[in-house]
Amino acid sequence: MKMNGINASARLLCGAATFMALAVTGTPVMAQEQADEKPAVVEGEEEGDAIIVTGIRGSIQSSLDAKREATSIVEVITAEDLGLLPDLSIADTLARLPGVTAQRVRGRSQQVSIRGLGPDFSLALLNGREVVSAGNNRGIEFDQFPSELIGTGIVYKTGDAQLAAIGIAGAVDLRTIKPLDSKKRQITLSGTYTYNDNGSLNPDFSSSGYRFFGSYIDQNEAGTIGWSLGATIQSIPTQIIQRELKTNNGQIARTPAGVIFPRDNPRQGVQSREFQRTSVAGSLQFEPTDRFSLTIDGFYTGTEDAGIFRGTETPIASWSTNGGAQVGTVTGSGPFADSATYSNVFPILRTDTEGADSSIFAIGGNIEWKATDNLGFVLDYGYSTLDRDDVDYESYAGTGRAGSGPADTLTFTFPRNGEYTIDGLIDYTNPANVLLTDPGGWGQVGFLREPETNDELHQLRAEAYWEFDGGLIDRIVAGWLYTDRSKDFDNNGTFLRPGAGFVNSSLAIPSDIIIGSTNSKSIGQDIIAYDPASLLTSGAYLLERATDDTEWLVEEQVHNFYIQANIDGDLGSVPVRGNLGLRYVDTNQGSTGTLVGGRVNSVEYDYTNWLPSANLSFEVMPDTFIRVAFAQTITRARLDQLAANQNLTFRPQICPDNNGDQTPDAVVGFNPPAQVCFDLSGGNPSLEPYKSTSYDISFEKYFSPGSAIIVAAFYKDLSDWVVSLGETADLTQQIQNRGFGAFLTANPQVAIGQFNGPVNFSDGRIAGVEGTVRINFGDVTDVLDGFGGFYSLTYSDAEITPPGTSAIPIPGYSDLTWSGDVFYEKNGFRAKIAARYRGGFLSEVPNFAGGLEGADARSETIVDAQIGYTFSREGSFLNGVQILAEVFNLTDQPFVTENELFGANGASLGESFPSRHELYGRTFQFTLRKSF
């Protein structure tokens, strides 16, 4: 549903970009004048006899320096952290920061939560600008951004008025390299071999992969122009052993003794994926004088996430095919069974081709000009766009249509860790036992879903500042920030019906597409492996468009006006730094979807917010700081919740249709809220944002460049939380869109109707404490020189309670998280082991419709390690060569969700049992890197 044409806002933004381009062409004369005046820098002269610290310790010092000097409460990672840990995703590195956690999706860390609030409640920036997202919501998938191309990552835990965007949880700003920050030419090349120790679970996907990276950073002799270019290409394997037992209270049964056993449709198998990514980042900096600077940065990433799932659904319910499965022996004393045997089972063999092709392009420019010693101006423009095409192609097989073939007898064992096994009688790797068919009797032999997502975002900033010549206030900044975003989604579902060659909805699997069998490891249920691609084009499958297609467009135009005072001075004898700010936000949001019946439904809504903020840092003693912060922040609702896909109906007893034309003719007994004419359900384009009023305090003691102790406490008062329920609302736009405008004009009171769906309703809070210790052991004793370590712990307590109901879970919330590492680095040798833990949380897992849904995840501890050596031989080619061995997920920690167990009387038994269990294996990386 992509809209064509350029609106007035887009023309304004393009005009700003043109102005910046013209400004570039006007600056060479200034550059020449100043270049003649600036003396050349003699190599080594600036540093003198200073020791330049690099490697792990260098990155730690850079991160601590940045945190110490920041005016807000932040966490910082630098390029060394990102490039030289076993990080398959930037999210892995971010998750080691205090108060930050990540969730693994399909084996890769994709989503980030900050201080107990999930990925929906924080925003991501690229070089200080809001950026498009690859999913069908706002949160970015962090594995779209290669760690090698990011110079710095900053997690903002408190807001200020100048930030391009920040959610109620915070914001993550990924920044690429600025070439003038490097004082010399740098060339880096690296190659990495990757291996997943689960092996090849499907015969058409390898367990090996690669990563190649190259970067070039340079400057002109005068140091007024700098340029950088980096590129990376990779193919990373993922091999997943998947189990989904389905253990919620509606999917189980009980023996007469009360022992619980599954009685639904467990799904298990193996998934193999290949994540291919090509990414390029570049930057051009021009600083001819200390009064003028121009920066242009660009970023591109193209990904192809291809995969296949092969496994079975095992219908063991009483309502299953051909009379339902019969329960035999159930063993164990409870509350959950140790094993269970089922007969008359007709497994559904699934071959699901899964993939996502996406590309993100982002470009931005920044001009800063100091007109006088005190007055300056900044103009910044950013543009980013996303195109994504997914595929989820399901091909079904079994022993016959709707239970007409041989039945199996299956015995399940149920260990408490969730790694259940299956023992059956039929060999599903033998093509003589398996047919392409409609095993469930649904009238289809497969299903094809091809979602399309497009996202486009413009952002323009114009600001002026005044710098004071002394005093407590260092600078006053006033500005305007405008964001124009348009995102659309189309689900594109297609039923696959039996075609040429099918008899009784069954067809022998063509021998030329059989490629072997799966390796289901400890599940114990291998199946035949075939390539289903040709079935779509050979006529074997007939394609029939699904009628439940989901399609929507959401557009937002946001004007931000802000003023901020930056503080840098003394309050009495105490040095103080920080900022005081106020932001006014004017938002216009609109959505276009469909009303049931096929009519286009376009709805618009406006709202405003005043957002004050304050961040103050007091240096109460040398190298000892107390920070306090206050802010009101917002997070706009999920885009799929704003979608205008709705169903409008009328109540004939209140507004009867006397002539049978499907349109109400009269109003009888209208008395809201109980007696209304119209009911509306679906998405809610009139949602206002989640709101938070936050308070923070932090104590920071820096003992040396590499050692510090930090303790922080935070509290967030949450409001306008979105929950699904019914309330009265003004339905004017939907009634008119449905074609009932004339009836509404004659009876304007009926505009008030009943809406059922997402609404702003609940309030809540979250409070917590954080503690971090970073130690360079060489500061303690020379014997431990080269050793270092860090430990951080965050505890939070959160509650969202809709009025009149019990508390509801917060997506992504873990009450306890910690992370830590220990390293040794000296004389070219380096070794490091890092671990991170998060308590149980409400996760997001793939669902039947191809989206994500909530599930209670168990706690997990992820351990990563590395060991390497860097050669230092001046004059030799080996100088700067590094060899590195890394391992991700060292302990093969599974991802496990669980369901609470209940007795026959509905009372909780105080225990849970695993439902979904995924094993990703260990990923090994062996890298050879050379820096020039």
Side-chain angles (χ1 to χ4, degrees), residues 255-299:
T255 67
V259 177
I260 297 171
F261 60 96
R263 197 76 160 104
D264 193 88
N265 186 19
R267 183 179 188 269
Q268 51 280 318
V270 289
Q271 182 178 174
S272 300
R273 305 189 74 90
E274 180 184 20
F275 183 59
Q276 294 182 320
R277 181 180 62 197
T278 300
S279 305
V280 180
S283 181
L284 175 65
Q285 270 188 288
F286 183 37
E287 295 185 3
T289 77
D290 59 0
R291 290 184 180 271
F292 180 87
S293 68
L294 167 69
T295 303
I296 298 175
D297 54 79
F299 177 86

Short mmCIF file of all heavy atoms in Angstrom, two decimals, residues 255-299:
data_model
loop_
_atom_site.label_atom_id
_atom_site.label_comp_id
_atom_site.label_asym_id
_atom_site.label_seq_id
_atom_site.Cartn_x
_atom_site.Cartn_y
_atom_site.Cartn_z
N THR A 255 -4.42 -37.37 34.13
CA THR A 255 -4.82 -38.74 34.49
C THR A 255 -5.76 -38.67 35.69
O THR A 255 -5.90 -37.62 36.33
CB THR A 255 -3.58 -39.58 34.86
OG1 THR A 255 -3.02 -39.06 36.07
CG2 THR A 255 -2.54 -39.53 33.75
N PRO A 256 -6.43 -39.77 36.02
CA PRO A 256 -7.28 -39.76 37.23
C PRO A 256 -6.51 -39.36 38.48
O PRO A 256 -7.11 -38.81 39.42
CB PRO A 256 -7.78 -41.20 37.31
CG PRO A 256 -7.79 -41.67 35.88
CD PRO A 256 -6.59 -41.02 35.26
N ALA A 257 -5.19 -39.59 38.49
CA ALA A 257 -4.39 -39.20 39.65
C ALA A 257 -3.93 -37.75 39.58
O ALA A 257 -3.25 -37.27 40.49
CB ALA A 257 -3.17 -40.12 39.77
N GLY A 258 -4.31 -37.04 38.51
CA GLY A 258 -3.96 -35.63 38.40
C GLY A 258 -2.65 -35.34 37.70
O GLY A 258 -2.21 -34.19 37.67
N VAL A 259 -2.00 -36.37 37.14
CA VAL A 259 -0.74 -36.16 36.43
C VAL A 259 -1.03 -35.50 35.08
O VAL A 259 -1.89 -35.97 34.32
CB VAL A 259 0.02 -37.48 36.24
CG1 VAL A 259 1.29 -37.26 35.42
CG2 VAL A 259 0.36 -38.09 37.59
N ILE A 260 -0.32 -34.43 34.78
CA ILE A 260 -0.57 -33.65 33.57
C ILE A 260 0.26 -34.21 32.41
O ILE A 260 1.43 -34.55 32.58
CB ILE A 260 -0.21 -32.17 33.82
CG1 ILE A 260 -1.11 -31.58 34.91
CG2 ILE A 260 -0.32 -31.34 32.54
CD1 ILE A 260 -0.69 -30.20 35.37
N PHE A 261 -0.36 -34.27 31.23
CA PHE A 261 0.37 -34.69 30.03
C PHE A 261 -0.17 -33.88 28.84
O PHE A 261 -1.32 -33.42 28.85
CB PHE A 261 0.25 -36.20 29.79
CG PHE A 261 -1.15 -36.69 29.61
CD1 PHE A 261 -1.71 -36.85 28.33
CD2 PHE A 261 -1.94 -36.99 30.71
CE1 PHE A 261 -3.01 -37.31 28.18
CE2 PHE A 261 -3.24 -37.46 30.56
CZ PHE A 261 -3.78 -37.61 29.29
N PRO A 262 0.64 -33.69 27.78
CA PRO A 262 0.21 -32.87 26.64
C PRO A 262 -0.89 -33.56 25.85
O PRO A 262 -0.89 -34.77 25.69
CB PRO A 262 1.49 -32.69 25.82
CG PRO A 262 2.37 -33.81 26.23
CD PRO A 262 2.05 -34.12 27.64
N ARG A 263 -1.81 -32.73 25.30
CA ARG A 263 -2.95 -33.30 24.56
C ARG A 263 -3.36 -32.33 23.46
O ARG A 263 -4.53 -31.99 23.30
CB ARG A 263 -4.11 -33.55 25.54
CG ARG A 263 -5.19 -34.50 25.01
CD ARG A 263 -4.75 -35.94 25.07
NE ARG A 263 -5.88 -36.87 25.02
CZ ARG A 263 -6.22 -37.58 23.93
NH1 ARG A 263 -5.52 -37.46 22.81
NH2 ARG A 263 -7.25 -38.41 23.99
N ASP A 264 -2.36 -31.86 22.69
CA ASP A 264 -2.68 -30.90 21.64
C ASP A 264 -1.96 -31.29 20.35
O ASP A 264 -2.28 -32.32 19.76
CB ASP A 264 -2.31 -29.48 22.07
CG ASP A 264 -2.91 -28.42 21.17
OD1 ASP A 264 -4.06 -27.98 21.42
OD2 ASP A 264 -2.24 -28.03 20.20
N ASN A 265 -0.96 -30.51 19.95
CA ASN A 265 -0.32 -30.73 18.65
C ASN A 265 1.14 -30.30 18.73
O ASN A 265 1.51 -29.28 18.14
CB ASN A 265 -1.07 -29.96 17.56
CG ASN A 265 -0.56 -30.26 16.17
OD1 ASN A 265 0.09 -31.28 15.94
ND2 ASN A 265 -0.85 -29.38 15.23
N PRO A 266 1.98 -31.01 19.46
CA PRO A 266 3.39 -30.61 19.57
C PRO A 266 4.05 -30.46 18.20
O PRO A 266 3.72 -31.20 17.25
CB PRO A 266 4.02 -31.76 20.37
CG PRO A 266 2.89 -32.35 21.14
CD PRO A 266 1.70 -32.22 20.25
N ARG A 267 4.97 -29.54 18.11
CA ARG A 267 5.68 -29.25 16.86
C ARG A 267 7.18 -29.31 17.15
O ARG A 267 7.66 -28.67 18.08
CB ARG A 267 5.30 -27.86 16.33
CG ARG A 267 5.92 -27.48 14.99
CD ARG A 267 5.42 -26.10 14.61
NE ARG A 267 5.79 -25.69 13.27
CZ ARG A 267 6.90 -25.00 12.97
NH1 ARG A 267 7.74 -24.67 13.94
NH2 ARG A 267 7.15 -24.66 11.72
N GLN A 268 7.91 -30.07 16.37
CA GLN A 268 9.33 -30.26 16.61
C GLN A 268 10.05 -30.49 15.29
O GLN A 268 9.45 -30.92 14.31
CB GLN A 268 9.60 -31.43 17.56
CG GLN A 268 8.90 -32.73 17.18
CD GLN A 268 7.44 -32.76 17.59
OE1 GLN A 268 7.09 -32.33 18.68
NE2 GLN A 268 6.58 -33.25 16.71
N GLY A 269 11.34 -30.20 15.29
CA GLY A 269 12.13 -30.39 14.08
C GLY A 269 13.41 -29.60 14.14
O GLY A 269 13.86 -29.18 15.23
N VAL A 270 14.01 -29.40 12.98
CA VAL A 270 15.29 -28.69 12.90
C VAL A 270 15.18 -27.58 11.88
O VAL A 270 14.57 -27.73 10.82
CB VAL A 270 16.44 -29.66 12.55
CG1 VAL A 270 16.73 -30.58 13.73
CG2 VAL A 270 16.13 -30.48 11.30
N GLN A 271 15.78 -26.47 12.22
CA GLN A 271 15.77 -25.30 11.34
C GLN A 271 17.22 -24.92 11.03
O GLN A 271 18.06 -24.83 11.92
CB GLN A 271 15.07 -24.12 12.01
CG GLN A 271 15.00 -22.90 11.12
CD GLN A 271 14.26 -21.73 11.75
OE1 GLN A 271 14.22 -20.64 11.19
NE2 GLN A 271 13.67 -21.93 12.92
N SER A 272 17.48 -24.72 9.76
CA SER A 272 18.81 -24.28 9.31
C SER A 272 18.65 -22.94 8.61
O SER A 272 17.74 -22.75 7.80
CB SER A 272 19.43 -25.30 8.36
OG SER A 272 19.58 -26.56 8.98
N ARG A 273 19.57 -22.03 8.90
CA ARG A 273 19.49 -20.69 8.31
C ARG A 273 20.88 -20.24 7.88
O ARG A 273 21.90 -20.64 8.46
CB ARG A 273 18.92 -19.67 9.29
CG ARG A 273 17.56 -20.05 9.85
CD ARG A 273 16.94 -18.93 10.64
NE ARG A 273 16.45 -17.87 9.75
CZ ARG A 273 15.22 -17.85 9.26
NH1 ARG A 273 14.38 -18.84 9.55
NH2 ARG A 273 14.82 -16.87 8.48
N GLU A 274 20.88 -19.39 6.86
CA GLU A 274 22.11 -18.74 6.41
C GLU A 274 21.83 -17.24 6.33
O GLU A 274 20.98 -16.81 5.55
CB GLU A 274 22.55 -19.26 5.04
CG GLU A 274 23.84 -18.60 4.54
CD GLU A 274 24.19 -19.06 3.14
OE1 GLU A 274 23.29 -19.56 2.42
OE2 GLU A 274 25.36 -18.90 2.74
N PHE A 275 22.51 -16.48 7.19
CA PHE A 275 22.30 -15.04 7.26
C PHE A 275 23.41 -14.36 6.47
O PHE A 275 24.54 -14.25 6.92
CB PHE A 275 22.30 -14.58 8.72
CG PHE A 275 22.03 -13.12 8.90
CD1 PHE A 275 20.84 -12.56 8.44
CD2 PHE A 275 22.94 -12.30 9.54
CE1 PHE A 275 20.58 -11.21 8.63
CE2 PHE A 275 22.69 -10.95 9.72
CZ PHE A 275 21.50 -10.40 9.26
N GLN A 276 23.06 -13.92 5.27
CA GLN A 276 24.02 -13.22 4.41
C GLN A 276 23.79 -11.73 4.53
O GLN A 276 22.64 -11.25 4.45
CB GLN A 276 23.87 -13.67 2.96
CG GLN A 276 24.22 -15.13 2.72
CD GLN A 276 24.11 -15.51 1.26
OE1 GLN A 276 23.19 -15.10 0.56
NE2 GLN A 276 25.05 -16.31 0.78
N ARG A 277 24.87 -10.99 4.69
CA ARG A 277 24.76 -9.54 4.85
C ARG A 277 25.93 -8.85 4.16
O ARG A 277 27.09 -9.24 4.33
CB ARG A 277 24.75 -9.17 6.33
CG ARG A 277 24.62 -7.67 6.61
CD ARG A 277 24.62 -7.40 8.10
NE ARG A 277 25.85 -7.82 8.73
CZ ARG A 277 26.02 -8.01 10.04
NH1 ARG A 277 25.00 -7.84 10.85
NH2 ARG A 277 27.18 -8.39 10.52
N THR A 278 25.63 -7.84 3.36
CA THR A 278 26.63 -6.98 2.76
C THR A 278 26.36 -5.56 3.22
O THR A 278 25.23 -5.05 3.04
CB THR A 278 26.58 -7.05 1.23
OG1 THR A 278 26.81 -8.39 0.81
CG2 THR A 278 27.63 -6.14 0.61
N SER A 279 27.33 -4.93 3.84
CA SER A 279 27.13 -3.61 4.42
C SER A 279 28.28 -2.69 4.07
O SER A 279 29.44 -3.13 4.00
CB SER A 279 26.99 -3.70 5.94
OG SER A 279 25.96 -4.59 6.32
N VAL A 280 27.95 -1.42 3.87
CA VAL A 280 28.95 -0.40 3.55
C VAL A 280 28.62 0.85 4.36
O VAL A 280 27.45 1.25 4.46
CB VAL A 280 28.95 -0.05 2.04
CG1 VAL A 280 30.01 1.01 1.75
CG2 VAL A 280 29.20 -1.29 1.20
N ALA A 281 29.63 1.47 4.93
CA ALA A 281 29.47 2.73 5.65
C ALA A 281 30.59 3.66 5.24
O ALA A 281 31.75 3.25 5.09
CB ALA A 281 29.48 2.51 7.16
N GLY A 282 30.26 4.91 5.05
CA GLY A 282 31.26 5.90 4.68
C GLY A 282 30.97 7.24 5.31
O GLY A 282 29.83 7.54 5.67
N SER A 283 32.01 8.04 5.43
CA SER A 283 31.86 9.35 6.04
C SER A 283 32.85 10.33 5.43
O SER A 283 33.99 9.95 5.11
CB SER A 283 32.08 9.27 7.56
OG SER A 283 31.91 10.53 8.17
N LEU A 284 32.41 11.55 5.26
CA LEU A 284 33.27 12.64 4.78
C LEU A 284 33.15 13.80 5.75
O LEU A 284 32.04 14.27 6.02
CB LEU A 284 32.84 13.08 3.38
CG LEU A 284 33.57 14.30 2.80
CD1 LEU A 284 35.06 13.99 2.58
CD2 LEU A 284 32.93 14.75 1.51
N GLN A 285 34.29 14.25 6.28
CA GLN A 285 34.32 15.37 7.21
C GLN A 285 35.13 16.51 6.60
O GLN A 285 36.21 16.28 6.02
CB GLN A 285 34.96 14.96 8.54
CG GLN A 285 34.00 14.43 9.57
CD GLN A 285 34.70 14.24 10.90
OE1 GLN A 285 35.51 13.32 11.05
NE2 GLN A 285 34.38 15.08 11.87
N PHE A 286 34.61 17.72 6.79
CA PHE A 286 35.28 18.91 6.27
C PHE A 286 35.26 19.97 7.36
O PHE A 286 34.20 20.46 7.74
CB PHE A 286 34.54 19.38 5.01
CG PHE A 286 35.18 20.57 4.34
CD1 PHE A 286 36.56 20.71 4.28
CD2 PHE A 286 34.38 21.53 3.75
CE1 PHE A 286 37.13 21.78 3.64
CE2 PHE A 286 34.94 22.62 3.11
CZ PHE A 286 36.32 22.74 3.06
N GLU A 287 36.44 20.29 7.91
CA GLU A 287 36.55 21.29 8.97
C GLU A 287 37.66 22.27 8.59
O GLU A 287 38.79 22.19 9.09
CB GLU A 287 36.84 20.62 10.31
CG GLU A 287 35.70 19.75 10.81
CD GLU A 287 35.94 19.18 12.19
OE1 GLU A 287 36.98 19.51 12.80
OE2 GLU A 287 35.09 18.40 12.67
N PRO A 288 37.36 23.21 7.69
CA PRO A 288 38.40 24.14 7.24
C PRO A 288 38.82 25.14 8.31
O PRO A 288 39.92 25.68 8.26
CB PRO A 288 37.74 24.84 6.06
CG PRO A 288 36.28 24.75 6.35
CD PRO A 288 36.07 23.45 7.02
N THR A 289 37.92 25.43 9.26
CA THR A 289 38.22 26.35 10.34
C THR A 289 37.59 25.81 11.60
O THR A 289 36.81 24.85 11.58
CB THR A 289 37.66 27.76 10.06
OG1 THR A 289 36.25 27.75 10.29
CG2 THR A 289 37.93 28.20 8.63
N ASP A 290 37.90 26.47 12.72
CA ASP A 290 37.24 26.07 13.96
C ASP A 290 35.84 26.67 14.06
O ASP A 290 35.15 26.49 15.07
CB ASP A 290 38.09 26.46 15.17
CG ASP A 290 38.36 27.96 15.22
OD1 ASP A 290 37.89 28.70 14.33
OD2 ASP A 290 39.06 28.41 16.15
N ARG A 291 35.41 27.38 13.01
CA ARG A 291 34.07 27.97 12.99
C ARG A 291 33.12 27.23 12.04
O ARG A 291 31.92 27.52 12.04
CB ARG A 291 34.13 29.44 12.56
CG ARG A 291 34.76 30.36 13.59
CD ARG A 291 34.68 31.80 13.10
NE ARG A 291 35.26 32.72 14.06
CZ ARG A 291 34.59 33.30 15.05
NH1 ARG A 291 33.30 33.03 15.19
NH2 ARG A 291 35.17 34.12 15.87
N PHE A 292 33.61 26.33 11.24
CA PHE A 292 32.75 25.67 10.27
C PHE A 292 33.09 24.19 10.18
O PHE A 292 34.28 23.81 10.16
CB PHE A 292 32.92 26.31 8.89
CG PHE A 292 32.04 25.67 7.83
CD1 PHE A 292 30.75 26.10 7.63
CD2 PHE A 292 32.51 24.62 7.05
CE1 PHE A 292 29.94 25.52 6.67
CE2 PHE A 292 31.71 24.02 6.09
CZ PHE A 292 30.43 24.48 5.90
N SER A 293 32.07 23.36 10.14
CA SER A 293 32.27 21.92 9.93
C SER A 293 31.13 21.36 9.12
O SER A 293 29.98 21.81 9.23
CB SER A 293 32.39 21.18 11.26
OG SER A 293 31.15 21.20 11.95
N LEU A 294 31.46 20.40 8.29
CA LEU A 294 30.47 19.69 7.48
C LEU A 294 30.77 18.21 7.57
O LEU A 294 31.92 17.78 7.41
CB LEU A 294 30.54 20.14 6.02
CG LEU A 294 29.78 19.25 5.01
CD1 LEU A 294 28.29 19.38 5.21
CD2 LEU A 294 30.17 19.63 3.58
N THR A 295 29.75 17.43 7.86
CA THR A 295 29.90 15.97 7.90
C THR A 295 28.77 15.35 7.07
O THR A 295 27.60 15.71 7.23
CB THR A 295 29.82 15.43 9.33
OG1 THR A 295 30.82 16.04 10.14
CG2 THR A 295 30.01 13.92 9.36
N ILE A 296 29.15 14.45 6.19
CA ILE A 296 28.19 13.66 5.43
C ILE A 296 28.49 12.19 5.69
O ILE A 296 29.64 11.75 5.57
CB ILE A 296 28.27 13.96 3.92
CG1 ILE A 296 27.95 15.44 3.65
CG2 ILE A 296 27.33 13.06 3.14
CD1 ILE A 296 28.12 15.84 2.21
N ASP A 297 27.48 11.44 6.08
CA ASP A 297 27.68 10.02 6.36
C ASP A 297 26.61 9.21 5.65
O ASP A 297 25.47 9.65 5.49
CB ASP A 297 27.66 9.73 7.86
CG ASP A 297 26.41 10.26 8.55
OD1 ASP A 297 25.36 9.60 8.44
OD2 ASP A 297 26.48 11.32 9.20
N GLY A 298 27.01 8.03 5.21
CA GLY A 298 26.08 7.13 4.54
C GLY A 298 26.23 5.72 5.04
O GLY A 298 27.30 5.31 5.51
N PHE A 299 25.16 4.97 4.95
CA PHE A 299 25.16 3.58 5.43
C PHE A 299 24.22 2.77 4.55
O PHE A 299 23.12 3.22 4.21
CB PHE A 299 24.71 3.53 6.89
CG PHE A 299 24.60 2.14 7.44
CD1 PHE A 299 25.71 1.52 7.99
CD2 PHE A 299 23.40 1.44 7.42
CE1 PHE A 299 25.62 0.22 8.50
CE2 PHE A 299 23.30 0.16 7.92
CZ PHE A 299 24.42 -0.45 8.46
#
